[in-house]
Amino acid sequence: MKNEIIFSENKTLLLKNAIILDTSFSEGENAPNIAVIVSKMDSYIKSRGAVPVGPLIQKNQITVNEEGILEIRVFLIRQTNTFIRSVEKPYMTEPVIRIKNCLYSHFVGPEDKMKFAYDKINLYGFENDIKLSDESYSVFVGQQDDTITVDVFVEKKSDD
């Protein structure tokens, strides 16, 4: 499979019947095992009478706190075949998540080079004086051997 990044503007990310889990951790803590978390999420979804649909989505939110320290919050999102009306913490649900007017990169390549998809979006934003949201969405489309396919969405900030 050939490594590639396909770039596009004005894309919309549409997620339906989303169940969301904040998997953020503090510096110094061990990173959570994503495979275990996804397995637990899928079991939880099934216990609520629903079925996971589509690929795993990761939302990253980058902010700077009052002390000037960079904070990254990571949310895992799964879509389901039906909306789960009530969930217990730590889960949250949204019937529809629609992120419009995004810069988009379709990445195919080794996982350790995935940052290039984000770099391409950020460089395009810089070169074209486009302000970008502090949130990004990565849709993990597939994996074959050591090659992953990921769609990355970053919303343009409005000029209000």
Side-chain angles (χ1 to χ4, degrees), residues 42-77:
D42 287 352
S43 293
Y44 182 80
I45 289 166
K46 290 173 186 171
S47 76
R48 309 302 265 159
V51 177
V53 176
L56 176 68
I57 299 105
Q58 179 178 310
K59 173 185 170 184
N60 295 319
Q61 184 179 43
I62 300 171
T63 57
V64 178
N65 68 18
E66 299 88 32
E67 292 85 38
I69 298 171
L70 189 67
E71 292 182 341
I72 301 173
R73 293 183 67 191
V74 178
F75 301 86
L76 296 182
I77 304 171

Side-chain angles (χ1 to χ4, degrees), residues 6-112:
I6 299 170
F7 177 82
S8 185
E9 266 193 280
N10 302 318
K11 290 287 190 176
T12 298
L13 174 63
L14 177 63
L15 305 175
K16 294 182 179 181
N17 305 323
I19 185 164
I20 305 158
L21 178 65
D22 185 343
T23 62
S24 304
F25 62 98
S26 300
E27 191 174 341
E29 291 180 352
N30 290 331
N33 183 323
I34 299 300
V36 170
I37 291 172
V38 171
S39 178
K40 286 180 181 179
M41 282 182 81
D42 287 352
S43 293
Y44 182 80
I45 289 166
K46 290 173 186 171
S47 76
R48 309 302 265 159
V51 177
V53 176
L56 176 68
I57 299 105
Q58 179 178 310
K59 173 185 170 184
N60 295 319
Q61 184 179 43
I62 300 171
T63 57
V64 178
N65 68 18
E66 299 88 32
E67 292 85 38
I69 298 171
L70 189 67
E71 292 182 341
I72 301 173
R73 293 183 67 191
V74 178
F75 301 86
L76 296 182
I77 304 171
R78 295 288 281 155
Q79 296 179 92
T80 61
N81 64 329
T82 185
F83 182 63
I84 302 172
R85 296 207 181 279
S86 86
V87 294
E88 293 86 25
K89 286 186 177 186
Y91 297 107
M92 303 169 278
T93 60
E94 288 289 338
V96 175
I97 298 172
R98 181 176 286 125
I99 311 299
K100 296 180 180 180
N101 201 20
C102 292
L103 297 184
Y104 164 84
S105 285
H106 176 79
F107 173 84
V108 178
E111 186 173 0
D112 66 340

